[in-house]
Amino acid sequence: MSLSRRKLFAAAAAGGALAAVGMPVGRAQDRLGAEEFAALASRGYNRRFQARPANIFVPGNTEEVRRAVADAVARDSRIAARSGGHCFDDFVDNAQTRSLIDLGRLNAVGWDEQHRAFSVGAGADIGSVYSALHRWGVTLPAGICLGVGMGGHVCGGGYGPLSRRFGLVADHLAGVEVVTVDDAGEANVVVATKDSPARDLWWAHTGGGGGNFGVVTRYLLRSPDSDGSDAALALPRPPRTMLNARLIFPVTTQDSFVRLLGNYLGFFERHSAPGNEFAGLYAPLMIRTTGTGAAEMLILLDGETPDARRRFDDFVATVSAGVFPPPILTPVAELSYPDTAAQVYYAKGVNTTRVKVKAAYLRRAYSPEQLRIFYRYITDLGFLGESQLEFLPFGGAINAVAADATAMPARDSFMKVLIHASWRLPGDDDRYVRWAREMYRDVHASTGGVPVPGGEYGGSYINYPDPDLADSAWNTSGLPWHAFYYGDNYARLLRVKQAYDPKTVFQHRLSIGRPDW
Protein backbone atom coordinates (compact mmCIF):
# COMPACT_ATOMS: atom_id res chain seq x y z
CA MET A 1 0.00 0.00 0.00
CA SER A 2 1.41 3.40 -0.94
CA LEU A 3 2.23 6.11 1.55
CA SER A 4 -0.68 8.20 0.29
CA ARG A 5 -2.98 5.42 1.41
CA ARG A 6 -1.41 5.38 4.84
CA LYS A 7 -1.41 9.11 5.32
CA LEU A 8 -4.32 10.38 7.35
CA PHE A 9 -5.71 13.85 6.88
CA ALA A 10 -7.90 16.04 9.02
CA ALA A 11 -8.84 19.64 8.82
CA ALA A 12 -8.00 21.74 11.87
CA ALA A 13 -10.61 23.87 13.54
CA ALA A 14 -9.91 27.39 14.73
CA GLY A 15 -7.23 27.51 17.40
CA GLY A 16 -5.68 24.24 16.27
CA ALA A 17 -8.29 21.85 17.65
CA LEU A 18 -9.16 18.77 15.64
CA ALA A 19 -12.28 19.14 13.55
CA ALA A 20 -14.86 16.71 14.86
CA VAL A 21 -17.12 16.78 11.84
CA GLY A 22 -16.86 17.44 8.15
CA MET A 23 -13.66 15.44 7.80
CA PRO A 24 -13.31 13.96 4.30
CA VAL A 25 -13.25 10.19 4.53
CA GLY A 26 -13.09 9.17 0.88
CA ARG A 27 -12.18 5.59 0.15
CA ALA A 28 -11.62 3.57 3.29
CA GLN A 29 -8.07 2.63 2.32
CA ASP A 30 -7.10 6.23 1.62
CA ARG A 31 -8.37 8.16 4.62
CA LEU A 32 -9.74 7.63 8.08
CA GLY A 33 -12.66 9.31 9.73
CA ALA A 34 -12.59 11.75 12.59
CA GLU A 35 -12.78 9.16 15.37
CA GLU A 36 -9.87 7.10 14.07
CA PHE A 37 -7.75 10.19 13.46
CA ALA A 38 -8.50 11.49 16.96
CA ALA A 39 -7.61 8.11 18.48
CA LEU A 40 -4.19 8.18 16.85
CA ALA A 41 -3.65 11.80 17.81
CA SER A 42 -4.45 11.06 21.48
CA ARG A 43 -2.37 7.89 21.87
CA GLY A 44 0.16 9.61 24.12
CA TYR A 45 0.73 8.63 27.75
CA ASN A 46 0.23 11.93 29.59
CA ARG A 47 -3.34 13.23 29.47
CA ARG A 48 -2.14 16.75 30.27
CA PHE A 49 -1.07 17.06 26.65
CA GLN A 50 -2.98 16.54 23.42
CA ALA A 51 -1.47 16.52 19.95
CA ARG A 52 -3.37 18.50 17.33
CA PRO A 53 -1.57 17.62 14.11
CA ALA A 54 -2.73 18.59 10.65
CA ASN A 55 -1.35 15.30 9.28
CA ILE A 56 -0.73 11.87 10.73
CA PHE A 57 1.42 9.36 8.87
CA VAL A 58 1.31 5.64 9.61
CA PRO A 59 4.11 4.25 7.44
CA GLY A 60 4.73 0.56 7.07
CA ASN A 61 8.41 0.61 6.11
CA THR A 62 11.52 2.78 6.11
CA GLU A 63 10.95 4.25 2.67
CA GLU A 64 7.50 5.39 3.66
CA VAL A 65 8.98 7.06 6.74
CA ARG A 66 11.47 8.85 4.49
CA ARG A 67 8.68 10.05 2.23
CA ALA A 68 6.61 11.18 5.21
CA VAL A 69 9.54 13.24 6.49
CA ALA A 70 10.10 14.68 3.01
CA ASP A 71 6.42 15.62 2.77
CA ALA A 72 6.50 17.37 6.15
CA VAL A 73 9.68 19.26 5.26
CA ALA A 74 8.14 20.41 1.98
CA ARG A 75 5.18 21.76 3.94
CA ASP A 76 7.44 23.37 6.57
CA SER A 77 5.42 21.31 9.04
CA ARG A 78 6.88 20.57 12.51
CA ILE A 79 7.58 16.83 12.80
CA ALA A 80 7.27 14.51 15.79
CA ALA A 81 7.62 10.73 15.81
CA ARG A 82 5.73 8.39 18.12
CA SER A 83 6.54 4.75 18.81
CA GLY A 84 5.04 3.46 22.07
CA GLY A 85 3.60 6.84 23.00
CA HIS A 86 5.03 6.82 26.55
CA CYS A 87 6.80 10.18 26.59
CA PHE A 88 6.07 11.82 29.95
CA ASP A 89 6.10 15.38 28.60
CA ASP A 90 4.92 17.24 25.50
CA PHE A 91 7.73 16.38 23.08
CA VAL A 92 5.20 14.79 20.71
CA ASP A 93 1.86 15.96 22.08
CA ASN A 94 2.51 19.62 21.48
CA ALA A 95 0.50 22.28 19.68
CA GLN A 96 3.52 22.94 17.44
CA THR A 97 3.50 19.36 16.14
CA ARG A 98 1.83 19.53 12.75
CA SER A 99 3.05 16.26 11.18
CA LEU A 100 2.87 13.24 13.47
CA ILE A 101 4.62 10.09 12.27
CA ASP A 102 3.19 7.07 14.09
CA LEU A 103 5.67 4.18 13.94
CA GLY A 104 3.38 1.53 15.39
CA ARG A 105 3.49 -0.61 12.25
CA LEU A 106 7.30 -0.75 12.21
CA ASN A 107 7.30 -3.52 14.79
CA ALA A 108 9.24 -6.39 13.21
CA VAL A 109 11.88 -8.22 15.25
CA GLY A 110 14.31 -10.56 13.50
CA TRP A 111 17.89 -11.44 12.68
CA ASP A 112 19.69 -9.24 10.15
CA GLU A 113 22.28 -11.36 8.34
CA GLN A 114 23.94 -8.37 6.67
CA HIS A 115 24.69 -6.60 9.93
CA ARG A 116 24.92 -9.76 12.07
CA ALA A 117 22.59 -8.24 14.62
CA PHE A 118 18.98 -8.35 15.72
CA SER A 119 16.83 -5.84 13.87
CA VAL A 120 14.11 -4.32 16.06
CA GLY A 121 11.57 -1.92 14.61
CA ALA A 122 11.13 1.38 16.42
CA GLY A 123 7.41 0.69 16.80
CA ALA A 124 7.85 -2.63 18.59
CA ASP A 125 6.93 -2.60 22.28
CA ILE A 126 9.20 -4.08 24.93
CA GLY A 127 6.90 -7.02 25.67
CA SER A 128 6.82 -8.08 22.03
CA VAL A 129 10.60 -7.79 21.79
CA TYR A 130 11.08 -10.05 24.82
CA SER A 131 8.76 -12.64 23.31
CA ALA A 132 10.44 -12.54 19.91
CA LEU A 133 13.99 -12.75 21.27
CA HIS A 134 13.06 -15.70 23.45
CA ARG A 135 12.92 -17.83 20.29
CA TRP A 136 16.70 -17.42 20.06
CA GLY A 137 17.19 -17.84 23.81
CA VAL A 138 18.40 -14.27 24.30
CA THR A 139 17.06 -11.03 25.75
CA LEU A 140 17.78 -7.35 26.36
CA PRO A 141 18.17 -5.54 29.70
CA ALA A 142 15.18 -3.40 28.75
CA GLY A 143 12.33 -1.96 30.77
CA ILE A 144 9.85 -3.52 33.16
CA CYS A 145 6.86 -1.76 31.51
CA LEU A 146 5.94 -4.06 28.63
CA GLY A 147 3.95 -1.49 26.65
CA VAL A 148 6.79 1.01 26.21
CA GLY A 149 7.93 1.41 22.60
CA MET A 150 11.53 0.74 21.63
CA GLY A 151 11.70 3.91 19.54
CA GLY A 152 12.36 6.27 22.42
CA HIS A 153 13.44 3.71 25.02
CA VAL A 154 16.71 2.64 23.40
CA CYS A 155 18.02 6.04 22.35
CA GLY A 156 17.47 7.42 25.86
CA GLY A 157 19.68 4.66 27.27
CA GLY A 158 17.07 2.06 28.23
CA TYR A 159 17.30 0.11 31.48
CA GLY A 160 15.32 -2.47 33.42
CA PRO A 161 15.42 -5.43 35.82
CA LEU A 162 18.47 -7.06 34.18
CA SER A 163 20.53 -3.90 33.73
CA ARG A 164 22.55 -4.36 36.93
CA ARG A 165 23.68 -7.67 35.39
CA PHE A 166 23.94 -6.74 31.70
CA GLY A 167 24.09 -2.93 31.45
CA LEU A 168 21.86 -0.56 29.52
CA VAL A 169 20.05 -1.44 26.28
CA ALA A 170 22.25 1.23 24.65
CA ASP A 171 25.31 -0.82 25.63
CA HIS A 172 24.06 -3.48 23.20
CA LEU A 173 23.30 -1.07 20.35
CA ALA A 174 25.37 -1.99 17.29
CA GLY A 175 23.61 0.30 14.84
CA VAL A 176 20.61 2.44 14.09
CA GLU A 177 18.64 3.16 10.94
CA VAL A 178 17.37 6.71 10.95
CA VAL A 179 15.76 9.14 8.52
CA THR A 180 17.61 12.46 8.62
CA VAL A 181 17.26 15.76 6.74
CA ASP A 182 20.34 17.34 5.17
CA ASP A 183 21.24 20.96 4.56
CA ALA A 184 19.40 20.93 1.22
CA GLY A 185 16.21 19.78 2.94
CA GLU A 186 16.41 16.28 1.49
CA ALA A 187 15.26 13.33 3.58
CA ASN A 188 17.78 10.48 3.64
CA VAL A 189 18.02 7.04 5.21
CA VAL A 190 21.26 6.55 7.15
CA VAL A 191 22.37 3.26 8.67
CA ALA A 192 24.86 4.25 11.35
CA THR A 193 26.93 1.58 13.09
CA LYS A 194 29.79 1.80 15.53
CA ASP A 195 32.27 0.93 12.74
CA SER A 196 30.74 3.00 9.91
CA PRO A 197 31.51 6.51 8.64
CA ALA A 198 28.34 7.61 10.47
CA ARG A 199 29.72 6.36 13.80
CA ASP A 200 28.94 9.65 15.55
CA LEU A 201 25.26 9.28 14.65
CA TRP A 202 25.29 5.76 16.12
CA TRP A 203 26.93 7.08 19.31
CA ALA A 204 24.35 9.89 19.63
CA HIS A 205 21.61 7.26 19.83
CA THR A 206 23.26 5.48 22.77
CA GLY A 207 21.58 7.85 25.23
CA GLY A 208 21.14 11.12 23.34
CA GLY A 209 17.36 10.90 23.55
CA GLY A 210 14.56 10.72 21.00
CA GLY A 211 13.43 13.42 18.61
CA ASN A 212 16.88 14.96 18.22
CA PHE A 213 18.54 13.74 15.04
CA GLY A 214 15.84 12.22 12.86
CA VAL A 215 13.22 9.48 12.90
CA VAL A 216 14.58 6.11 14.01
CA THR A 217 13.08 3.28 12.01
CA ARG A 218 14.94 0.33 13.51
CA TYR A 219 17.73 -0.62 15.88
CA LEU A 220 20.50 -3.15 15.28
CA LEU A 221 21.25 -4.90 18.55
CA ARG A 222 24.29 -7.01 19.35
CA SER A 223 26.40 -7.19 22.49
CA PRO A 224 29.89 -5.68 22.25
CA ASP A 225 31.56 -9.01 23.07
CA SER A 226 29.80 -10.81 20.18
CA ASP A 227 30.92 -10.94 16.55
CA GLY A 228 27.41 -11.83 15.41
CA SER A 229 28.39 -15.18 13.93
CA ASP A 230 25.72 -16.92 16.01
CA ALA A 231 22.40 -15.22 16.73
CA ALA A 232 21.99 -17.28 19.90
CA LEU A 233 25.14 -15.64 21.30
CA ALA A 234 24.58 -12.13 19.99
CA LEU A 235 22.71 -10.81 23.04
CA PRO A 236 22.66 -11.77 26.73
CA ARG A 237 21.15 -15.07 27.70
CA PRO A 238 18.54 -14.45 30.42
CA PRO A 239 18.59 -16.29 33.71
CA ARG A 240 16.76 -19.61 33.56
CA THR A 241 14.65 -18.59 36.55
CA MET A 242 13.94 -15.55 38.68
CA LEU A 243 12.76 -15.35 42.27
CA ASN A 244 10.06 -12.80 42.95
CA ALA A 245 7.95 -11.54 45.83
CA ARG A 246 6.54 -8.30 47.18
CA LEU A 247 7.51 -6.67 50.44
CA ILE A 248 4.61 -4.57 51.70
CA PHE A 249 4.76 -1.81 54.29
CA PRO A 250 1.08 -1.00 55.01
CA VAL A 251 1.97 2.04 57.09
CA THR A 252 5.12 3.89 58.13
CA THR A 253 5.72 6.56 60.71
CA GLN A 254 8.23 9.24 59.85
CA ASP A 255 10.90 7.41 61.85
CA SER A 256 10.20 4.04 60.24
CA PHE A 257 10.09 5.68 56.79
CA VAL A 258 13.53 7.18 57.36
CA ARG A 259 14.80 3.83 58.66
CA LEU A 260 13.36 1.92 55.67
CA LEU A 261 14.83 4.31 53.10
CA GLY A 262 18.11 4.48 54.95
CA ASN A 263 18.37 0.68 54.95
CA TYR A 264 17.34 0.42 51.31
CA LEU A 265 19.50 3.17 49.87
CA GLY A 266 22.47 2.11 51.98
CA PHE A 267 22.20 -1.45 50.67
CA PHE A 268 22.27 -0.47 47.01
CA GLU A 269 24.97 2.14 47.58
CA ARG A 270 27.15 -0.63 49.04
CA HIS A 271 26.31 -2.98 46.18
CA SER A 272 26.70 -0.71 43.16
CA ALA A 273 30.01 -1.91 41.73
CA PRO A 274 30.12 -3.99 38.53
CA GLY A 275 29.98 -7.70 39.26
CA ASN A 276 28.93 -7.30 42.88
CA GLU A 277 27.31 -10.26 44.61
CA PHE A 278 23.84 -8.71 44.30
CA ALA A 279 24.13 -7.67 40.64
CA GLY A 280 21.20 -9.97 39.83
CA LEU A 281 18.90 -8.14 42.25
CA TYR A 282 16.35 -5.55 41.14
CA ALA A 283 13.99 -4.23 43.79
CA PRO A 284 12.06 -1.07 42.87
CA LEU A 285 10.39 0.63 45.84
CA MET A 286 7.10 2.52 45.34
CA ILE A 287 5.61 4.81 47.98
CA ARG A 288 2.03 5.85 47.24
CA THR A 289 0.22 8.96 48.42
CA THR A 290 -2.11 7.13 50.79
CA GLY A 291 -1.52 9.47 53.71
CA THR A 292 0.05 6.62 55.70
CA GLY A 293 3.47 6.37 54.11
CA ALA A 294 2.53 2.97 52.70
CA ALA A 295 5.23 1.43 50.52
CA GLU A 296 5.58 -1.64 48.34
CA MET A 297 8.71 -3.23 46.96
CA LEU A 298 8.85 -5.69 44.08
CA ILE A 299 11.85 -7.96 44.56
CA LEU A 300 13.34 -9.76 41.57
CA LEU A 301 16.48 -11.86 41.86
CA ASP A 302 18.29 -13.83 39.20
CA GLY A 303 17.73 -17.47 40.17
CA GLU A 304 21.23 -18.36 38.98
CA THR A 305 22.79 -16.16 41.68
CA PRO A 306 24.85 -18.39 44.00
CA ASP A 307 22.81 -19.14 47.13
CA ALA A 308 19.96 -17.17 45.57
CA ARG A 309 17.37 -17.79 48.26
CA ARG A 310 19.78 -16.98 51.08
CA ARG A 311 20.74 -13.70 49.36
CA PHE A 312 17.07 -12.94 48.80
CA ASP A 313 16.39 -13.41 52.52
CA ASP A 314 19.46 -11.37 53.48
CA PHE A 315 18.20 -8.46 51.43
CA VAL A 316 14.73 -8.61 52.96
CA ALA A 317 16.21 -8.71 56.45
CA THR A 318 18.51 -5.76 55.73
CA VAL A 319 15.84 -3.41 54.41
CA SER A 320 13.33 -4.45 57.11
CA ALA A 321 15.66 -4.03 60.09
CA GLY A 322 14.20 -1.68 62.68
CA VAL A 323 11.14 -0.83 60.60
CA PHE A 324 7.91 -0.88 62.59
CA PRO A 325 5.29 -2.11 61.98
CA PRO A 326 7.27 -4.92 60.31
CA PRO A 327 6.60 -5.45 56.60
CA ILE A 328 4.64 -8.31 55.06
CA LEU A 329 6.50 -10.56 52.60
CA THR A 330 4.33 -12.33 50.05
CA PRO A 331 5.24 -15.96 49.20
CA VAL A 332 8.48 -16.17 47.23
CA ALA A 333 7.91 -17.66 43.78
CA GLU A 334 10.45 -18.98 41.31
CA LEU A 335 9.43 -18.67 37.66
CA SER A 336 11.16 -19.09 34.34
CA TYR A 337 12.42 -15.85 32.88
CA PRO A 338 9.71 -15.76 30.13
CA ASP A 339 7.03 -16.34 32.75
CA THR A 340 8.51 -13.67 34.98
CA ALA A 341 8.39 -11.14 32.13
CA ALA A 342 4.84 -12.15 31.22
CA GLN A 343 3.39 -12.41 34.74
CA VAL A 344 5.46 -10.14 36.99
CA TYR A 345 6.66 -7.29 34.78
CA TYR A 346 4.12 -4.50 34.35
CA ALA A 347 1.46 -5.32 31.79
CA LYS A 348 0.63 -3.21 28.76
CA GLY A 349 -2.14 -0.73 29.34
CA VAL A 350 -3.46 2.73 28.61
CA ASN A 351 -2.73 5.53 31.05
CA THR A 352 -5.76 7.65 31.88
CA THR A 353 -4.13 10.14 34.22
CA ARG A 354 -2.42 13.49 34.00
CA VAL A 355 1.24 13.35 34.95
CA LYS A 356 4.23 15.39 36.04
CA VAL A 357 7.57 13.65 36.62
CA LYS A 358 10.89 14.73 38.10
CA ALA A 359 13.93 12.50 38.43
CA ALA A 360 17.45 12.22 39.78
CA TYR A 361 20.41 9.84 39.84
CA LEU A 362 21.96 9.21 43.25
CA ARG A 363 25.68 8.78 43.83
CA ARG A 364 25.20 8.99 47.60
CA ALA A 365 22.19 8.12 49.74
CA TYR A 366 19.85 10.92 50.76
CA SER A 367 20.34 12.24 54.30
CA PRO A 368 17.73 11.62 57.03
CA GLU A 369 16.74 15.29 56.71
CA GLN A 370 16.02 14.86 53.00
CA LEU A 371 14.04 11.68 53.66
CA ARG A 372 11.89 13.53 56.18
CA ILE A 373 11.09 16.09 53.47
CA PHE A 374 9.95 13.27 51.19
CA TYR A 375 7.78 11.87 53.99
CA ARG A 376 6.12 15.22 54.62
CA TYR A 377 5.13 15.56 50.97
CA ILE A 378 4.16 11.96 50.36
CA THR A 379 1.83 11.86 53.39
CA ASP A 380 0.13 15.19 52.63
CA LEU A 381 -3.59 14.41 52.88
CA GLY A 382 -4.31 16.98 50.16
CA PHE A 383 -2.74 14.70 47.55
CA LEU A 384 -4.26 11.29 48.17
CA GLY A 385 -4.53 9.22 45.01
CA GLU A 386 -2.34 7.74 42.31
CA SER A 387 0.88 9.73 42.73
CA GLN A 388 3.97 7.98 43.97
CA LEU A 389 7.63 8.31 44.83
CA GLU A 390 9.75 5.64 43.16
CA PHE A 391 13.27 4.38 43.84
CA LEU A 392 14.75 2.29 41.01
CA PRO A 393 18.05 0.41 41.54
CA PHE A 394 20.88 1.28 39.16
CA GLY A 395 24.61 0.58 39.02
CA GLY A 396 26.21 -2.83 38.67
CA ALA A 397 27.18 -3.54 35.04
CA ILE A 398 25.91 -0.09 34.06
CA ASN A 399 28.83 1.38 35.97
CA ALA A 400 31.39 -0.75 34.09
CA VAL A 401 31.17 1.51 31.02
CA ALA A 402 33.10 4.76 30.62
CA ALA A 403 31.04 7.96 30.82
CA ASP A 404 31.93 8.96 27.25
CA ALA A 405 31.54 5.51 25.67
CA THR A 406 27.83 6.22 25.22
CA ALA A 407 25.92 9.48 25.04
CA MET A 408 24.43 8.87 28.51
CA PRO A 409 27.17 9.64 31.08
CA ALA A 410 25.52 8.45 34.32
CA ARG A 411 27.92 5.59 34.96
CA ASP A 412 28.68 6.06 38.63
CA SER A 413 25.21 6.16 40.20
CA PHE A 414 23.45 3.48 42.23
CA MET A 415 19.81 4.60 42.15
CA LYS A 416 17.23 6.47 40.09
CA VAL A 417 14.62 8.50 41.93
CA LEU A 418 11.33 9.39 40.27
CA ILE A 419 8.63 11.71 41.57
CA HIS A 420 5.55 10.62 39.62
CA ALA A 421 2.65 12.97 40.30
CA SER A 422 -0.58 11.58 38.85
CA TRP A 423 -4.15 12.88 38.91
CA ARG A 424 -7.28 12.93 36.76
CA LEU A 425 -8.98 16.34 36.79
CA PRO A 426 -7.64 19.20 34.63
CA GLY A 427 -8.58 21.62 37.38
CA ASP A 428 -5.96 20.00 39.62
CA ASP A 429 -3.08 20.57 37.19
CA ASP A 430 -1.49 23.55 38.90
CA ARG A 431 -1.80 22.06 42.36
CA TYR A 432 -0.20 18.71 41.55
CA VAL A 433 2.51 20.15 39.32
CA ARG A 434 3.51 22.54 42.11
CA TRP A 435 3.49 19.67 44.64
CA ALA A 436 5.99 17.72 42.53
CA ARG A 437 8.12 20.79 41.83
CA GLU A 438 8.30 21.90 45.44
CA MET A 439 9.11 18.42 46.74
CA TYR A 440 11.98 18.14 44.26
CA ARG A 441 13.21 21.66 45.03
CA ASP A 442 13.12 21.19 48.80
CA VAL A 443 14.88 17.82 48.77
CA HIS A 444 17.68 19.25 46.59
CA ALA A 445 17.73 22.69 48.22
CA SER A 446 21.47 22.62 48.94
CA THR A 447 22.28 22.31 45.21
CA GLY A 448 19.93 24.88 43.73
CA GLY A 449 16.75 22.80 43.90
CA VAL A 450 18.11 20.26 41.41
CA PRO A 451 20.40 17.18 41.50
CA VAL A 452 23.61 18.87 40.33
CA PRO A 453 26.07 16.27 39.00
CA GLY A 454 28.85 15.92 41.53
CA GLY A 455 29.51 14.14 44.78
CA GLU A 456 25.91 13.39 45.72
CA TYR A 457 24.01 13.24 42.44
CA GLY A 458 24.47 12.17 38.84
CA GLY A 459 21.99 14.48 37.15
CA SER A 460 18.86 13.04 35.55
CA TYR A 461 17.56 10.69 32.83
CA ILE A 462 16.35 12.06 29.49
CA ASN A 463 13.65 9.37 29.22
CA TYR A 464 12.12 11.01 32.31
CA PRO A 465 12.15 14.49 30.75
CA ASP A 466 11.61 17.54 32.92
CA PRO A 467 11.52 20.95 31.18
CA ASP A 468 11.77 22.60 34.62
CA LEU A 469 15.52 21.95 34.42
CA ALA A 470 15.56 24.62 31.70
CA ASP A 471 13.60 27.06 33.87
CA SER A 472 15.62 29.32 36.18
CA ALA A 473 12.62 29.58 38.51
CA TRP A 474 13.07 25.91 39.45
CA ASN A 475 16.73 25.35 38.59
CA THR A 476 18.70 27.97 40.52
CA SER A 477 22.00 26.09 40.28
CA GLY A 478 23.26 28.12 37.32
CA LEU A 479 23.84 24.90 35.33
CA PRO A 480 22.14 24.54 31.93
CA TRP A 481 19.55 21.81 31.53
CA HIS A 482 21.76 19.64 29.32
CA ALA A 483 24.40 19.30 32.07
CA PHE A 484 21.91 17.12 33.97
CA TYR A 485 21.21 14.76 31.08
CA TYR A 486 24.46 14.67 29.11
CA GLY A 487 27.26 16.17 31.16
CA ASP A 488 30.48 16.58 29.18
CA ASN A 489 28.99 14.58 26.28
CA TYR A 490 26.81 17.51 25.23
CA ALA A 491 29.46 19.18 23.07
CA ARG A 492 29.81 16.06 20.93
CA LEU A 493 26.03 15.64 20.73
CA LEU A 494 25.76 19.21 19.52
CA ARG A 495 28.27 18.51 16.74
CA VAL A 496 26.26 15.45 15.68
CA LYS A 497 23.10 17.55 15.66
CA GLN A 498 24.72 20.18 13.44
CA ALA A 499 26.00 17.49 11.06
CA TYR A 500 22.81 15.45 10.69
CA ASP A 501 20.05 17.98 11.37
CA PRO A 502 21.54 21.28 10.18
CA LYS A 503 18.12 22.80 9.52
CA THR A 504 16.84 21.90 13.02
CA VAL A 505 13.92 19.96 11.60
CA PHE A 506 13.69 17.79 14.74
CA GLN A 507 13.16 19.68 17.97
CA HIS A 508 11.28 19.79 21.24
CA ARG A 509 11.62 21.56 24.57
CA LEU A 510 14.73 19.64 25.61
CA SER A 511 16.22 18.88 22.20
CA ILE A 512 19.91 19.10 21.47
CA GLY A 513 20.79 22.67 20.49
CA ARG A 514 17.21 23.67 21.22
CA PRO A 515 16.07 27.15 20.23
CA ASP A 516 14.33 29.38 22.75
CA TRP A 517 10.65 28.50 23.08
Side-chain angles (χ1 to χ4, degrees):
M1 189 180 293
S2 68
L3 176 66
S4 63
R5 293 188 176 189
R6 291 195 176 118
K7 179 178 171 186
L8 316 179
F9 296 92
L18 290 176
V21 296
M23 204 175 286
V25 178
R27 290 178 295 172
Q29 70 268 34
D30 289 332
R31 300 184 180 187
L32 297 183
E35 290 185 5
E36 292 163 295
F37 185 97
L40 279 172
S42 63
R43 199 168 65 84
Y45 176 86
N46 190 346
R47 297 306 174 190
R48 284 175 62 204
F49 307 116
Q50 170 65 64
R52 289 176 169 80
N55 306 293
I56 298 179
F57 300 87
V58 283
N61 56 50
T62 299
E63 172 57 19
E64 292 187 350
V65 174
R66 189 198 67 78
R67 288 163 57 192
V69 170
D71 180 273
V73 170
R75 297 169 182 263
D76 193 23
S77 178
R78 178 72 66 83
I79 299 171
R82 174 181 285 150
S83 55
H86 283 75
C87 184
F88 282 136
D89 221 271
D90 66 348
F91 292 179
V92 174
D93 296 313
N94 187 289
Q96 297 190 37
T97 296
R98 306 306 296 151
S99 289
L100 176 57
I101 301 177
D102 190 298
L103 301 169
R105 300 185 65 215
L106 276 69
N107 57 7
V109 179
W111 179 252
D112 186 308
E113 290 286 356
Q114 178 185 353
H115 295 285
R116 303 190 316 280
F118 284 98
S119 173
V120 175
D125 62 59
I126 289 173
S128 299
V129 173
Y130 288 151
S131 296
L133 292 179
H134 181 63
R135 296 197 295 270
W136 285 271
V138 299
T139 194
L140 284 167
I144 197 170
C145 299
L146 300 181
V148 170
M150 293 292 283
H153 183 65
V154 179
C155 57
Y159 83 103
L162 298 182
S163 288
R164 284 169 47 82
R165 177 76 80 194
F166 298 125
L168 300 175
V169 179
D171 297 335
H172 302 270
L173 182 64
V176 60
E177 182 180 83
V178 55
V179 176
T180 63
V181 178
D182 62 24
D183 197 37
E186 295 294 323
N188 306 287
V189 178
V190 180
V191 178
T193 65
K194 58 171 46 177
D195 54 359
S196 73
R199 185 180 190 278
D200 275 354
L201 186 61
W202 158 78
W203 176 86
H205 284 86
T206 61
N212 277 313
F213 310 102
V215 180
V216 174
T217 54
R218 65 182 178 125
Y219 294 102
L220 298 168
L221 295 155
R222 184 182 68 238
S223 297
D225 59 353
S226 171
D227 63 6
S229 58
D230 184 349
L233 300 175
L235 286 173
R237 299 191 70 82
R240 288 189 297 273
T241 64
M242 294 189 77
L243 279 65
N244 77 86
R246 294 181 185 273
L247 191 61
I248 300 169
F249 303 80
V251 62
T252 59
T253 64
Q254 179 174 272
D255 287 345
S256 63
F257 179 89
V258 171
R259 176 65 67 90
L260 165 63
L261 267 295
N263 293 345
Y264 175 82
L265 295 175
F267 179 92
F268 281 106
E269 185 176 3
R270 293 191 301 274
H271 296 96
S272 63
N276 74 82
E277 60 183 327
F278 284 94
L281 174 69
Y282 184 71
L285 176 64
M286 283 75 169
I287 302 142
R288 287 287 183 94
T289 50
T290 62
T292 64
E296 181 173 320
M297 186 188 305
L298 170 64
I299 307 174
L300 293 163
L301 179 63
D302 178 345
E304 296 175 11
T305 299
D307 298 320
R309 182 56 197 262
R310 178 182 63 80
R311 293 188 191 279
F312 191 101
D313 293 341
D314 287 349
F315 171 71
V316 171
T318 298
V319 297
S320 303
V323 178
F324 187 83
I328 300 165
L329 180 67
T330 64
V332 179
E334 185 169 8
L335 300 174
S336 70
Y337 174 74
D339 285 345
T340 300
Q343 299 175 31
V344 182
Y345 286 15
Y346 306 149
K348 303 174 187 179
V350 177
N351 182 58
T352 58
T353 64
R354 307 168 76 80
V355 171
K356 172 65 181 176
V357 303
K358 302 183 76 68
Y361 287 117
L362 297 187
R363 290 175 173 164
R364 298 286 184 271
Y366 284 124
S367 69
E369 291 75 16
Q370 290 172 300
L371 296 178
R372 282 190 279 270
I373 293 170
F374 275 129
Y375 186 80
R376 172 165 55 87
Y377 277 95
I378 210 72
T379 57
D380 187 333
L381 296 178
F383 295 92
L384 299 179
E386 298 164 286
S387 299
Q388 61 186 21
L389 174 64
E390 302 178 27
F391 291 88
L392 308 163
F394 212 58
I398 299 167
N399 291 354
V401 178
D404 61 354
T406 62
M408 197 196 82
R411 299 296 186 157
D412 54 3
S413 301
F414 75 92
M415 186 70 61
K416 287 182 190 235
V417 182
L418 179 65
I419 296 171
H420 189 285
S422 180
W423 65 99
R424 293 182 180 272
L425 299 178
D428 285 335
D429 284 4
D430 290 346
R431 195 166 65 88
Y432 274 86
V433 169
R434 178 164 290 276
W435 176 79
R437 284 171 167 168
E438 291 181 348
M439 186 193 320
Y440 192 77
R441 178 200 63 193
D442 292 354
V443 166
H444 305 109
S446 66
T447 51
V450 288
V452 170
E456 298 173 277
Y457 311 115
S460 192
Y461 180 45
I462 192 59
N463 279 358
Y464 300 158
D466 179 13
D468 292 345
L469 291 176
D471 184 344
S472 61
W474 297 104
N475 172 11
T476 61
S477 70
L479 281 183
W481 66 270
H482 50 77
F484 296 87
Y485 295 116
Y486 305 121
D488 293 339
N489 290 338
Y490 187 70
R492 184 177 176 186
L493 285 167
L494 189 57
R495 291 194 297 271
V496 178
K497 177 73 169 179
Q498 292 164 345
Y500 288 94
D501 185 21
K503 299 178 75 69
T504 319
V505 170
F506 305 100
Q507 57 182 277
H508 51 71
R509 287 207 287 167
L510 293 178
S511 55
I512 306 297
R514 77 182 186 99
D516 293 332
W517 278 51

